[in-house]
Amino acid sequence: MSTNVIVTTQSGDVRGCIADGVNTFKGVPYAAPPFGENRFRSPQPVAPWNGVRDALTYGSKVPQLPYPPPFDVLLSEPDVAGEDCLNLNIWSPGLGPSGLPVMVWIPGGEFEHGTGAAYDGSRFARDGIVCVTVNYRVGADGFLYLGAGNANRGLLDQIAALEWVQRNIAAFGGDPGNVTVFGESAGAQSIGSLLSMPRAEGLFRRAILESGAAHPVMSAATAQRVGRHLAEKLGVAATREALAAIPTDRLLHAQAELSADLAAHRDPQRWGEEVVIPMMLWQPVIDGEVIPAHPIDRIAAGAGAGIDLLVGTNTDEWRFFLVPSGMIDHITDEILAGAIAAYGIPVSAALQVYRSAHPNASAGDLLAAVQGDWYFRNPATRLADAHARIAKTSATYMYEFTWRSPQFDGQLGACHGLEIPFVFDTLGNGTEAMWGIDPPQSLADVMHAAWAAFATTGHCSWPQYDVARRATMRFNVASGVVDDPRRAERALWESAGELVHMAAASVQARG
């Protein structure tokens, strides 16, 4: 049984509902629709409205391509059409001046997909936290860069949502001085950028990064090259005005064609290594203004030093990209060796380290481990190292999610994205495609409580991370702290200077 409830925001009144002690407001706009005069511009203010605006159903989804098979089944999302897509959703246990902790979720999706409507924050509200999930522009709408400013609109959308939280969340029971941003994959990578961005200072107090760190980013020159290729594909000038006049469906079709071109011709001379390495056309851009320099370098120099940080990865991240498609069974020893060599690490030493860590593993298994370390674990470790070194008044924590899915005959492992319903405590909500029919609720209880405690106090139940001990909480049915897990792999990469050699191995891995 639910009843309606009304809250006043700075733009007007919104009508939500209350059920089982949780107040829910969906599809609340934080910025104007990014179409017409606002196309390819920074987020603009919401036009105030008269009367009461319904916030009872999820709002529109930002323009994006669908996930390709088989990921369209594994990552099914609500798809609501409409232009008023810069919206957010709120779950709160109490309205008015309650001063509750606030958690703002930034979805992932390779900077090409994602919607806040795919996540249910009601369990955080049940446990005394105001939870907010947001939409932000992705693909060309969010990250097309043509020079002369106007970069990183997707990140500026996130900042606009956080500014909305600062102005309005007290009316929903939240404390604007106790905001935690959390996200996964591209959402976590976005947070890595936010930690370094001057415009984001003061908008949040804590950050949780799941399977993403202060990467990837591309140079302004590479981003302009991608923009020119898109304009050529559409047969128009590479200007904001020309591209803004292109209908959304046609623009998305051109993006799909451009992605197909990249997959077929992985030429660094054409695209730039920053595109070819991660196989991502749309990424945050080091434009010198919104992102002044590489995020990890700014963090190492002190940016975000006052933010409490929780960062981690899943044990088998890259198996998500290799197992469902069956690609993992087609990796040969030659492909594996070529990928390792392209990273600039000695093949024989790498094979010795990884085969020792993964006895009886196939070439595909080993490639998944190598690729997962390169793309996820190494950047997360580097972020934790940098933050721990410069943080004087804030905390740094590290975790690893190790529970293995039984799906795909157990081959998925603790893959990318697997931890999300444990964090949100939403097991059993139609998630069987990746999690099976009986995932451990006890693990969700522990992990969800850890996230809630960190958002409330800035502290976790395990020791803080430092570069001497590297204490890491490993979450599983039986969780526990391990010091410096995968020390041999970390030493291997550090000895080779993996950040100097972030070369074409990703191309090998996906080919």
Side-chain angles (χ1 to χ4, degrees):
M1 186 71 179
S2 64
T3 58
N4 289 345
V5 60
I6 295 174
V7 169
T8 299
T9 74
Q10 290 190 352
S11 301
D13 292 346
V14 292
R15 179 186 290 109
C17 67
I18 179 170
D20 299 323
V22 174
N23 300 274
T24 304
F25 298 81
K26 297 178 178 179
V28 179
Y30 67 81
F35 296 92
E37 294 182 355
N38 296 334
R39 190 82 183 275
F40 295 113
R41 293 193 185 277
S42 300
Q44 300 299 304
V46 174
W49 59 84
N50 297 317
V52 180
R53 178 180 180 131
D54 280 339
L56 301 170
T57 59
Y58 287 117
S60 304
K61 187 177 183 179
V62 297
Q64 57 192 269
L65 293 162
Y67 284 106
F71 303 105
D72 55 339
V73 175
L74 298 176
L75 301 171
S76 60
E77 296 178 343
D79 192 2
V80 181
E83 294 191 347
D84 206 358
C85 57
L86 297 183
N87 58 67
L88 49 78
N89 314 292
I90 306 160
W91 292 264
S92 176
L95 304 177
S98 301
L100 299 170
V102 180
M103 298 183 72
V104 179
W105 174 257
I106 300 176
E110 296 184 301
F111 296 109
E112 289 195 70
H113 311 279
T115 173
Y119 307 90
D120 178 358
S122 63
R123 276 63 165 189
F124 282 112
R126 174 200 65 194
D127 296 329
I129 291 172
V130 179
C131 185
V132 181
T133 66
V134 305
N135 286 356
Y136 60 94
R137 281 173 285 181
V138 296
D141 277 291
F143 294 96
L144 172 72
Y145 179 64
L146 302 170
N150 197 31
N152 298 302
R153 291 172 302 280
L155 295 179
L156 293 177
D157 291 345
Q158 296 168 18
I159 288 177
L162 290 168
E163 291 172 339
W164 186 96
V165 167
Q166 289 295 310
R167 295 191 302 267
N168 294 283
I169 206 64
F172 295 86
D175 177 3
N178 190 8
V179 174
T180 297
V181 289
F182 69 132
E184 184 265 349
S185 197
Q189 291 165 3
S190 294
I191 295 170
S193 292
L194 292 175
L195 285 167
S196 76
M197 290 165 53
R199 294 193 191 187
E201 290 180 5
L203 296 179
F204 55 94
R205 184 174 176 182
R206 301 184 178 103
I208 304 174
L209 294 85
E210 303 171 24
S211 303
H215 77 297
V217 290
M218 67 169 68
S219 68
T222 297
Q224 286 181 269
R225 186 185 304 183
V226 173
R228 288 194 297 269
H229 291 327
L230 180 66
E232 291 168 2
K233 182 72 65 177
L234 291 162
V236 300
T239 65
R240 189 203 72 81
E241 293 77 13
L243 286 160
I246 299 296
T248 299
D249 288 348
R250 185 181 171 203
L251 184 75
L252 290 173
H253 183 70
Q255 287 179 223
E257 291 183 337
L258 208 62
S259 295
D261 289 350
L262 173 61
H265 305 287
R266 305 174 183 186
D267 180 6
Q269 296 299 316
R270 171 173 169 77
W271 303 101
E273 286 189 353
E274 297 147 309
V275 171
V276 170
I277 295 166
M279 294 298 289
M280 293 173 65
L281 289 166
W282 312 109
Q283 304 171 45
V285 179
I286 302 174
D287 65 319
E289 181 182 355
V290 177
I291 299 180
H294 200 296
I296 190 62
D297 293 337
R298 282 185 52 80
I299 292 167
I307 304 297
D308 296 319
L309 182 72
L310 171 58
V311 59
T313 58
N314 298 353
T315 302
D316 305 303
E317 297 273 9
W318 209 258
R319 297 184 75 85
F320 175 78
F321 304 100
L322 296 180
V323 169
S325 65
M327 188 183 299
I328 196 167
D329 296 325
H330 299 283
I331 304 301
T332 64
D333 289 339
E334 290 74 21
I335 292 175
L336 172 62
I340 294 171
Y343 281 117
I345 55 178
V347 174
S348 59
L351 289 175
Q352 180 178 355
V353 167
Y354 278 92
R355 282 176 174 155
S356 176
H358 305 274
N360 304 316
S362 69
D365 295 331
L366 294 177
L367 181 58
V370 170
Q371 187 73 357
D373 283 352
W374 174 77
Y375 195 80
F376 294 106
R377 175 175 294 275
N378 294 345
T381 300
R382 190 175 184 218
L383 173 60
D385 286 354
H387 188 267
R389 287 189 177 106
I390 55 93
K392 305 302 181 185
T393 60
S394 60
T396 309
Y397 293 95
M398 176 71 87
Y399 79 89
E400 181 182 355
F401 181 81
T402 67
W403 180 78
R404 296 177 61 85
S405 168
Q407 299 300 86
F408 293 87
D409 295 323
Q411 291 301 302
L412 269 182
C415 70
H416 190 63
L418 198 70
E419 86 290 352
I420 294 174
F422 293 88
V423 166
F424 278 85
D425 192 16
T426 52
L427 294 173
N429 287 2
T431 58
E432 289 78 8
M434 281 180 62
W435 292 268
I437 60 174
D438 191 24
Q441 179 61 43
S442 61
L443 176 54
D445 293 341
V446 170
M447 203 165 184
H448 175 80
W451 264 233
F454 178 80
T456 302
T457 68
H459 296 290
C460 296
S461 62
W462 62 93
Q464 291 190 33
Y465 181 94
D466 59 50
V467 295
R469 180 179 175 184
R470 302 181 188 275
T472 302
M473 172 60 79
R474 280 184 156 170
F475 284 105
N476 206 321
V477 175
S479 300
V481 175
V482 176
D483 291 344
D484 199 5
R486 302 194 190 176
R487 181 179 306 176
E489 292 96 317
R490 178 179 59 78
L492 171 74
W493 289 98
E494 287 182 354
S495 68
E498 86 281 3
L499 292 163
V500 176
H501 298 287
M502 293 178 83
S506 181
V507 179
Q508 298 282 349
R510 293 198 179 194

